[in-house]
Amino acid sequence: MNTPNNLFYAKTHEWARKEGNKVYVGITDHAQHEITDIVHVELPEVGKKFDKEQPCAVVESVKSAFDIYCPVSGTIVEVNEELLSAPELINQSPYEKGYFFVLELANEEDFKSLMNAEQYTKSIEG
Amino acid sequence: MNYIPVSDKDKKEMFESIGVKDTQELLSLQIPETLRVKKLNLDKGMSEQQLISLFKKYAQKNKSNLACFRGAGIYDHFVPSIVDEIIGRSEFWTAYTPYQAEASQGTLQAIFEYQSVMCELTGMECSNASMYDGATAVAEAILLAIRASRKNKVIISGALNPEYISVIETYTKNLNIEIVKIDIDSKTGALNKDTLNKFLDESVAAVVVQSPNFFGTIEDMQELSKISKDKKALFVAVVNPVSLGLLKAPGEYGADIAVGEGQVFGNQMYLGGSTFGFMAVTKALEWKMPGRIVGQTVDKDGKRGFVLTLQSREQHIRREKATSNICTNAALNSFAACVYAAYLGSQGIKELAQTNISKARYAFDKIKNIKGFVPLFDNAVFFNEFVFKTDKNIDKINEELLKENILGPIDLGKIDSKYKNCIMFAVTEKRTKQEIDKLAEILSRV
Amino acid sequence: MMNNNKTLNEIESNRSTVIVESDVELNANVDDKYKRTTVPNIPNISESTLLRHYTNLSRKNYALSTTMYPLGSCTMKHNPLVNEKIAKFDEFATIHPYQNEESMQGSLEVMYELQKDLCEISGMDYFTLQPAAGAHGEYTGLLIIAQYFKNKNEKRTKIIVPDSAHGTNPASAALSGFEIISLKSDENGIVSPEKLKEVLNGDVAAMMMTNPNTLGVFEKNIEEISKLIHDNGSLLYYDGANLNAVMGIIRPADIGFDVMHINLHKTFSTPHGGGGPGSGPVGVKAFLKECLPSPFVVKDGDTFKLSFNDKQKSIGAMKAFYGNFPVILKACAYIKSLGGEGLTQASKQAVINANYILSKLKSKVKVPAGNSCMHEFAMSLKGALGNDIKTLDVAKRLLDNGYYAPTIYFPLIVEEAMMIEPTETESKQTLDEFIDTLLNIIEESKTNPEVVHNAPVNTSVRRLNEVEAARKPKLHW
């Protein structure tokens, strides 16, 4: 399972990548593997604010649907619209082409409670 | 009568295998004795022959097979023999919901064809597999518009079928949705675009308009749709499939959602109880649509097949977050409509619409010339239903008509006191010239 | 050989007759602004071609008339033919809903009789026949509960739903404006009064229960649960999906339920029609009568009338008119033909049939509910199968053997679940053959996994690509 070192992870299997004040958010390789073939996503509205751990998107396979929780609080500034017509990108490239959205970080502190790659790897093995 | 094919000898062997001596012991493993009921106080069962005579007796208390000039949501259209033959095949009517796709290709392809027919008729991109009836389809369309727009105000035409308005009220009252009803122009019998404009602003999620409306008038859907979309409201068209052989399709005037009652296609009236609602939407709304949807795909060997799809919208997966709670729909009734539409073909559907409007116009002209009957609306353009004002005794009119086995016009005053002394006639392709002439003759002498 | 795999639009034929003929002069011009400009792509084909098309399609279906349908919680029992015949009577088919009451006494009497009989079977005091399906009935019942508290000026916002419930339960509660509290079942798959106490408070409007539940187990603590719920000022809702287990054995109203729905297309033998129409009558105890939707049928001397509740106190209308009449008619005929004794026998035999299958399978599979069940049982195939074969594969292999597959992956609380409900209308021989087939497939999973994994091969298509169907939806021709 691929778990890049430069990312932060939530226990609900989202990752967050910080770029200045912007944060890219997606789901982990482990999560996409467990969900299996992703057929649809629902993305949040640009401009909407979310608190940390608030449900903000939905990812769906043929026979199931999962809420995606915001790993850090902030305002959505961009969503990855390509996923709407090609949700398989999440399976193929969970950390790059399959990101869900970008948000503007509201509280730097939120990162403190996220896991690093090592901790996350451990958590999914346990 | 019973339908249990298990003999006493079989039962004994079954009890042995289970390890109990009788039913009593078996039930006591599950249900505390104190909770048990002694017996059901119902009539004794009966044989098939007795059953048929009992229900013949009930049936004969109805005054049936009338020449029907009554509509208001349920219409008396002719149902060709092929419809009964096909939906009467037990491989269709005794089948379950097609969850196991490989064993249900007949039903699945039939639904796919139904969806295609509805898309073609309405000019929309996606149809679901059916809703319960027109009223619930309109209510669900409103919930869909609210979900998609994330706004909570909806404008509905006051000339929606009153049964639909009641159901909309029931469906929305606990959900913090504001319904604004706007009246039609009392002169033209249609919605006035300026009135709609007055109520419209960008807080409106959707505008719901029925055409032909409850009073039979054809609305200027093109114009109303444009005004609505200018204010970023979704446009919900409530339409009669029969009229679509002649009138503009919702897709042609940019509707976002098209819904309506499908009984008119291939289903008999049955006290208003053999219905289905249809719902068709734009591509943008397909993942937000309620109800089952069938899609085309391929099997392992690349052969074409059909499956229930976009299922993660539905209650069996999404539970309280589903787009609707609907599970069982009205599959067989919508299948009847598909067979009916296929039997008529595009040409037949056009002829059907033309015949309806022609006969309605013929009847309208006849009645207009009778003393004591005045059209309620000036210059209204109607499809197969129209309203007259009369100073005659409406109950008496209908009583006289019924004596001649004619089901006369509906007394609108009984539905809404605003329409006291108003009667509404529906004239379908099934009414003969002779029946219309007879109707006129009785109206003129009552 | 004829190609029977076309969709309608691919058929080339010609109309054989003029279908609609007008005996008045055509006078159909309308202003251009109203007029359709596009021609719908609906083919014009002959009756003979159309008949072949659909007759051939029908052969690609498994149906109750061709095989056993052991679908848990769906009660796929035989649909008696006489009921179909009665439902086709012209005297019922040609009635307009706005005829005056005197001219539709027969139809009203049928509705009245069914309302009355359902009251006797369930113990409830009043029934509405308006809801069009089970989920629609649940929705009606929950709106009734909401209305009851509204009429009392009491604010209650939550509904308790056990985690073994059908998906329609939480979906209907959400649609009615309630929040859902999901209640975990105990280790035996039933509702535990202790756990219930933890979530009960003044916000709880009602709890929904299916009894027997979806594991096929009777909720034996129902008396205690009912007391807890009612002492809390809340109501108890009965999901009638499994009523076929208990007709003439218990009555929901007698054991504490206040509101319930019934699926006529399950318990009362009306056909499923490939997914509908169904009918979901809702019954209530007398104190909830004013909340019922309008209209319902009452008897006044020798005549039958439509009666309307006070608009302010009732939930309003659930659909246009009075309910799915042909379904109501068939269910009424079913009850009249069986009578009280016949209905009781039906339930008892349904329980015997389920327990018989259970007795033959329980040494091979895990049955969370234990050694006995009501009219159905859920089992877990986890650990019973070899070579990474899953429940889904077993279901598909059953299709190869000519059976429709049981409900799978439900209830959600059972891993690799398969849920079997044989109903009372299957013979012992049919049950024996089904049991042998199932055991044989379990054996195959160990000895010849490929055939299970590749199943089905005997159906008109093989396993279908559902992922592509959802990713690139093609929803019409």
Side-chain angles (χ1 to χ4, degrees), chain A residues 34-114:
Chain A
E34 288 291 306
I35 294 169
T36 70
D37 296 309
I38 292 166
V39 299
H40 185 60
V41 287
E42 273 176 33
L43 297 172
E45 253 176 302
V46 171
K48 200 157 179 207
K49 280 187 190 157
F50 287 97
D51 288 335
K52 185 178 161 68
E53 292 173 10
Q54 198 184 343
C56 56
V58 183
V59 53
E60 301 171 26
S61 69
V62 169
K63 291 281 159 68
S64 52
F66 303 90
D67 283 326
I68 301 303
Y69 300 90
C70 223
V72 292
S73 45
T75 307
I76 307 288
V77 291
E78 184 208 318
V79 297
N80 183 1
E81 289 192 5
E82 241 185 296
L83 298 184
L84 298 175
S85 55
E88 57 273 24
L89 288 175
I90 303 168
N91 293 117
Q92 293 160 2
S93 171
Y95 298 111
E96 298 292 334
K97 288 185 178 156
Y99 77 96
F100 279 51
F101 53 78
V102 182
L103 49 75
E104 197 163 271
L105 184 61
N107 185 359
E108 189 79 40
E109 292 286 295
D110 285 352
F111 272 94
K112 283 194 176 160
S113 55
L114 296 177

Side-chain angles (χ1 to χ4, degrees), chain B residues 61-64 66 70 271 394-403 406-411 414, chain C residues 95-108 304-306 322:
Chain B
K61 293 184 187 174
N62 280 342
K63 208 152 165 58
S64 56
L66 303 170
R70 209 165 282 193
L271 202 67
I394 297 171
D395 284 341
K396 177 91 178 115
I397 291 174
N398 274 321
E399 212 174 286
E400 287 303 312
L401 289 169
L402 198 57
K403 280 186 196 156
I406 294 173
L407 184 62
I410 187 163
D411 181 352
K414 287 186 179 157
Chain C
I95 300 300
H96 189 278
Y98 287 134
Q99 282 187 215
N100 60 18
E101 289 164 352
E102 301 86 85
S103 71
M104 55 188 203
Q105 283 295 301
S107 294
L108 294 181
F304 299 90
K305 291 185 171 162
L306 291 168
Y322 324 117

Side-chain angles (χ1 to χ4, degrees), chain C residues 15 214 373 453:
Chain C
R15 280 209 299 175
T214 57
C373 62
H453 196 72

Side-chain angles (χ1 to χ4, degrees), chain C residues 367-433:
Chain C
V367 181
N371 279 333
S372 80
C373 62
M374 292 296 291
H375 69 310
E376 68 181 359
F377 63 93
M379 59 191 188
S380 171
L381 294 185
K382 202 178 175 218
L385 306 169
N387 299 298
D388 208 27
I389 295 293
K390 302 277 187 226
T391 302
L392 178 72
D393 303 314
V394 176
K396 299 300 183 197
R397 186 68 181 145
L398 274 167
L399 302 181
D400 268 344
N401 286 278
Y403 296 96
Y404 200 84
T407 305
I408 52 175
Y409 300 110
F410 186 85
L412 306 174
I413 57 174
V414 178
E415 265 187 288
E416 292 294 314
M418 178 172 271
M419 198 178 171
I420 296 178
E421 177 182 2
T423 82
E424 72 280 11
T425 61
E426 298 300 338
S427 68
K428 179 168 174 293
Q429 183 180 40
T430 306
L431 300 181
D432 283 333
E433 287 167 0

Side-chain angles (χ1 to χ4, degrees), chain B residues 184-217:
Chain B
I184 49 167
D185 186 316
S186 58
K187 282 221 164 60
T188 62
L191 271 185
N192 184 315
K193 69 174 196 278
D194 296 330
T195 317
L196 175 59
N197 236 334
K198 214 169 66 197
F199 285 90
L200 257 175
D201 59 45
E202 296 205 350
S203 72
V204 174
V207 173
V208 185
V209 183
Q210 181 176 345
S211 178
N213 68 24
F214 177 66
F215 304 102
T217 315

